[in-house]
Amino acid sequence: MIEHVLQTLPQVVIDGLALGAVYAIVALGYTMVYGILELINFAHGEIFMTGAFVGTALFLSFSAFGWLSSMPMLLSLLLVLVATSIVTGLLGMGIERVAYRPLRSAPKLITLITAIGISFLLQDFVRFITELKKGNYILTGPSLFTGQVSISASSIWSGFHDASVKSSFFIVLVTAVVMMVTLDFFVNKTKWGMAMRAVAQDRETAALMSVNVNKVIALTFFIGSALGGATGVLFAIQYGTIDPYIGFILGLKAFTAAVLGGIGNIRGAMFGGIVLGLLEMFAAANLPIISNGILGAEYKDVFAFSILIMVLIFKPEGLFGKVSIEKV
Amino acid sequence: MKKWLNVLEQNKRLQAIVIAVYIVVTFISLYLAQKSVVAFLLLLSSLLLLHFTTFSHRVKWVIGIVVLSVLLPLAASQGEAYQSYMEVATLVGIYIAMALGLNIVVGLAGLLDLGFVAFFAIGAYTYGIFATTQANNFMPFGQYPLSGESFWVFLIIGCIVAAIFGILLGIPVLRVKGDYLAIVTLGFGEIIRIIFNNLDKPINITNGAMGLASVQPPKLFGLEFMYPSQFYYVVLVILLLTIFVVRRLEYSKIGRAWKAVRENEIAAQAMGIPLVRTKLMAFAVGASFSGMMGVVFAAKQTFVDPTSFTLLESITILVMVILGGMGSVPGVILGAALVTILNLQVLTELTNWLNQLSLSGVVSIPDALSPAKMQRFIFGVILILFALYRPQGLLPAKNPRFDEKELKSGATNMVDGKEGAKDVYFNG
């Protein structure tokens, strides 16, 4: 049994890293908004989904115009990523302006309800447009970066089997790392990042220190949503087929990742995402073997969810979070 | 207009005439025009009219029960559409009872539960497994299916099983901050569906995605409740009981504790309310209503499968509560009725109508826009608009007002005090 687990390990790690990178960046959106507003932005999973659709639509129209073949692949990827980020970033800002800002002093329950409303609205809107244009709401993008690369893990240790990866894996990983490093730099080293941290710490005091709180919150939503949308594009490239309902479960898991890393903590969210992706792929590959066929791979969602419950029971502040004390 | 309404409010006899005329007219129109869905809905909405009259509560209840148990079935029974009308009415009843359960969790205790349909599924499967041959696969003793007479026992069992699951889910989650609850329940709803979908191996318990077919209909004294027209009465009785229980709970000690927790957790704790236990109680009670209606649903559909228990269902019930008014029993009843009828009647009728229009070539509506597919859009819009502009819902919850002087004088006159209190109970 252990032998088999070890044999598949290289493949599991590679798949897990790709999935984990997606979780990590989506988790960033949850954690940034939660850190600043103490609000679970339910619509974030849908922003990710919208990003996937916008990106795929751009790729499709690029290939319809014949641009895909006439310009370098990486350039078109970059163009699509930037365009999608801007679209979803503005979408996130708009959502904040319309649905969250008027309710900032309302009970939290009400804000959560608008968040769910927004997420339903987005799902149906995307379904509607896709179905109108394509006749079917399940969309398959052009296949890009499909070259297979074989990693000879058996040369490292003979117990491993060789793993094979699509070249899109490297695209996903590199882009994700670049985005995370840039964000980390932005939050920790720039003036606007400092303003964001100040607002997250204490909104009123930050306002007294002449930080424009509304602008900072809008910026947070823009960045979080832009990253989420760009991740959607990466997801579409890596997995090919998308539908308007992918955002829900994925958002749930990314939120789990954010909780795992300590909600409100940006580096924690990155770490939590990677860990969750690895664990989930490990579970998907090995659950049937470990449980002697009782639990199939379809229980991997259940597995991710039980991690959330475990974290909430034993370490609700997450791996890197601070314990918060509520004061009256 | 306002003047007329004022006059109407002052004069009970006028109210009686108006409502009697309304009921008679809608009754006759449904009786004569069997295919008219509008007449059916108008007759149903006489109950809403009744809600706004100033009769005493006993009178309101009697009229309401008469309309529901005699007039509505009688008026609808004259044509072919009888069973489909009763089907709609039965489903409305089931959803009202579920929405009342969710209202306890969301409206009274202020906990956002997005996986409410999981408890519904648990109830449905509890009855479904034992009322089909399915239980033979894993039960070491007994002969299955159990007969339809066991339905009445399963109403209670469904309650208890769902409540246990509610507590099991609540224990880890309710200790941490409130917002996590929403997302964990969301996950829970999805997980329960996945588990039911895959629990056909290694032991076949739920029959997986195939679902459980030919669930035994309930039986009482040898009478089988097979048709919607018969089932309607089962649901009606359960619904009346539910409304009674919910009303009593709302003004009981635990009900007031729920409201206190909703308004301010820390203040409630300072007043000596055990926070976790109160929240768990709300969770368990809400879940048990849902579980009970799950049993009813399984017996009514005679078929259970995982696709009936998606996130969309959970959100549908949430929309009912938000639309009607969180914490308000009449509001939630109205909200549940509106949403269910919108789902079952209005959207399908509109789709049919549009299809006919496009067939005859008047306008061409793309298939993507067909109203039956727009549920998510409509629910999303309702949630956003109501949360932004009318968070208290269509019929807002009213807190009972107590007159200090009256209460003090009531202390010397216990009988009057009790009478007064009773009136307050039903005024809410």
Side-chain angles (χ1 to χ4, degrees), chain B residues 62-126:
Chain B
V62 170
I63 299 178
I65 291 172
V66 167
V67 169
L68 280 178
S69 64
V70 183
L71 294 182
L72 188 70
L74 187 68
S77 67
Q78 298 307 308
E80 291 154 8
Y82 180 37
Q83 295 300 349
S84 69
Y85 281 139
M86 286 297 116
E87 166 100 18
V88 172
T90 310
L91 280 175
V92 169
I94 290 177
Y95 278 110
I96 289 176
M98 288 235 286
L100 285 172
L102 185 63
N103 182 40
I104 290 179
V105 186
V106 176
L108 294 186
L111 308 165
L112 189 55
D113 184 350
L114 297 178
F116 199 62
V117 81
F119 304 116
F120 188 56
I122 288 168
Y125 269 98
T126 308

Side-chain angles (χ1 to χ4, degrees), chain B residues 118-381:
Chain B
F119 304 116
F120 188 56
I122 288 168
Y125 269 98
T126 308
Y127 182 63
I129 288 172
F130 289 97
T132 58
T133 51
Q134 191 66 31
N136 285 326
N137 291 333
F138 60 94
M139 286 297 282
F141 53 85
Q143 268 301 312
Y144 304 95
L146 295 174
S147 79
E149 265 135 2
S150 66
F151 171 78
W152 314 102
V153 185
F154 266 94
L155 282 180
I156 310 291
I157 298 178
C159 265
I160 295 169
V161 173
I164 290 172
F165 271 90
I167 291 172
L168 282 182
L169 176 69
I171 286 172
V173 181
L174 292 173
R175 287 170 191 279
V176 292
K177 272 180 112 182
D179 345 347
Y180 288 141
L181 184 71
I183 208 129
V184 172
T185 48
L186 189 71
F188 179 68
E190 207 53 19
I191 296 316
I192 286 285
R193 197 174 59 78
I194 296 175
I195 289 180
F196 281 147
N197 206 0
N198 291 305
L199 216 57
D200 50 351
K201 57 183 185 291
I203 311 168
N204 188 353
I205 296 180
T206 62
N207 208 16
M210 307 276 290
L212 303 167
S214 63
V215 179
Q216 293 283 319
K219 219 188 235 178
L220 190 64
F221 307 123
L223 178 70
E224 268 201 342
F225 293 88
M226 296 264 296
Y227 297 106
S229 56
Q230 297 162 319
F231 218 94
Y232 173 73
Y233 288 99
V234 179
V235 172
L236 191 61
V237 170
I238 294 174
L239 180 61
L240 288 176
L241 274 176
T242 312
I243 295 175
F244 178 75
V245 171
V246 168
R247 289 249 143 178
R248 301 296 296 198
L249 270 177
E250 190 182 346
Y251 297 105
S252 66
K253 191 176 170 196
I254 186 78
R256 283 175 281 136
W258 286 334
K259 284 189 188 169
V261 170
R262 175 188 69 188
E263 296 304 328
N264 190 333
E265 283 189 11
I266 294 171
Q269 214 169 9
M271 301 307 285
I273 292 173
L275 209 56
V276 173
R277 211 200 309 159
T278 311
K279 285 184 185 177
L280 270 186
M281 187 76 179
F283 225 60
V285 172
S288 64
F289 278 112
S290 189
M292 181 160 78
M293 293 331 279
V295 174
V296 177
F297 181 76
K300 189 202 145 289
Q301 302 290 57
T302 69
F303 179 70
V304 188
D305 81 332
T307 54
S308 321
F309 310 108
T310 54
L311 171 75
L312 188 63
E313 290 288 312
S314 291
I315 303 293
T316 309
I317 302 165
L318 183 70
V319 172
M320 293 170 183
V321 175
I322 305 295
L323 178 69
M326 282 185 281
S328 143
V329 173
V332 169
I333 295 176
L334 176 68
L338 284 181
V339 172
T340 318
I341 289 170
L342 177 81
N343 250 341
L344 292 175
Q345 289 278 329
V346 180
L347 288 184
T348 42
E349 291 281 320
L350 261 181
T351 311
N352 288 343
W353 184 64
L354 285 178
N355 279 348
Q356 260 166 14
L357 279 188
S358 18
L359 270 184
S360 56
V362 182
V363 279
S364 89
I365 306 287
D367 188 42
L369 197 64
S370 114
K373 288 185 180 172
M374 302 285 275
Q375 276 176 348
R376 282 169 190 260
F377 187 82
I378 295 168
F379 290 164
V381 168

Side-chain angles (χ1 to χ4, degrees), chain A:
Chain A
M1 190 175 83
I2 290 176
E3 197 185 342
H4 185 272
V5 171
L6 281 178
Q7 279 169 359
T8 52
L9 201 59
Q11 187 71 51
V12 165
V13 168
I14 283 170
D15 292 344
L17 278 179
L19 190 63
V22 171
Y23 286 162
I25 309 176
V26 180
L28 284 176
Y30 279 106
T31 226
M32 281 165 70
V33 168
Y34 193 91
I36 248 175
L37 285 180
E38 298 224 328
L39 165 80
I40 298 175
N41 181 9
F42 269 101
H44 194 62
E46 266 58 47
I47 289 176
F48 160 84
M49 178 273 295
T50 313
F53 272 86
V54 171
T56 311
L58 283 176
F59 274 128
L60 284 176
S61 42
F62 271 30
S63 69
F65 291 132
W67 294 351
L68 269 187
S69 45
S70 63
M71 70 176 134
M73 211 57 140
L74 286 175
L75 179 65
S76 56
L77 174 74
L78 196 67
L79 281 180
V80 169
L81 278 179
V82 169
T84 310
S85 316
I86 292 173
V87 170
T88 54
L90 290 177
L91 180 69
M93 259 168 84
I95 290 172
E96 193 271 333
R97 183 68 195 84
V98 174
Y100 299 152
R101 195 179 294 180
L103 295 171
R104 215 173 275 165
S105 57
K108 214 166 277 164
L109 187 72
I110 302 287
T111 331
L112 283 177
I113 286 166
T114 43
I116 297 163
I118 292 279
S119 109
F120 260 54
L121 209 63
L122 275 180
Q123 278 179 9
D124 211 60
F125 193 64
V126 170
R127 174 199 64 84
F128 170 63
I129 291 182
T130 320
E131 208 172 337
L132 202 62
K133 291 278 174 208
K134 289 268 160 195
N136 188 351
Y137 62 76
I138 298 171
L139 194 62
T140 309
S143 34
L144 302 164
F145 310 108
T146 46
Q148 292 283 339
V149 180
S150 168
I151 295 179
S152 56
S154 55
S155 65
I156 303 173
W157 183 60
S158 57
F160 286 150
H161 276 193
D162 285 353
S164 78
V165 283
K166 270 168 67 182
S167 53
S168 63
F169 163 75
F170 299 106
I171 304 278
V172 172
L173 210 61
V174 169
T175 321
V177 169
V178 168
M179 286 200 277
M180 288 194 268
V181 170
T182 317
L183 180 75
D184 200 70
F185 176 80
F186 176 81
V187 170
N188 288 319
K189 297 281 187 284
T190 62
K191 204 171 142 198
W192 278 102
M194 204 202 292
M196 270 163 72
R197 283 180 287 140
V199 173
Q201 209 164 53
D202 188 331
R203 200 187 304 160
E204 275 156 28
T205 313
L208 289 175
M209 304 290 160
S210 78
V211 173
N212 187 339
V213 172
N214 279 339
K215 229 181 207 167
V216 169
I217 291 176
L219 180 72
T220 309
F221 269 87
F222 181 86
I223 295 174
S225 309
L227 290 180
T231 322
V233 180
L234 297 181
F235 182 89
I237 293 174
Q238 172 78 0
Y239 297 99
T241 307
I242 49 176
D243 71 67
Y245 309 114
I246 51 169
F248 162 64
I249 279 279
L250 195 132
L252 200 67
K253 287 182 189 159
F255 181 79
T256 305
V259 173
L260 185 66
I263 197 142
N265 183 327
I266 288 178
R267 287 182 186 169
M270 298 175 190
F271 180 77
I274 302 282
V275 168
L276 192 73
L278 287 172
L279 282 177
E280 189 186 319
M281 272 302 157
F282 185 79
N286 297 317
L287 262 184
I289 305 163
I290 292 174
S291 66
N292 273 329
I294 296 174
L295 299 174
E298 58 275 10
Y299 282 98
K300 66 178 170 39
D301 291 350
V302 181
F303 183 77
F305 173 74
S306 40
I307 291 177
L308 177 61
I309 298 264
M310 292 294 198
V311 174
L312 288 183
I313 298 176
F314 295 112
K315 207 162 166 41
E317 71 277 7
L319 294 176
F320 304 108
K322 290 189 292 282
V323 183
S324 64
I325 301 162
E326 202 168 345
K327 289 182 193 150
V328 185

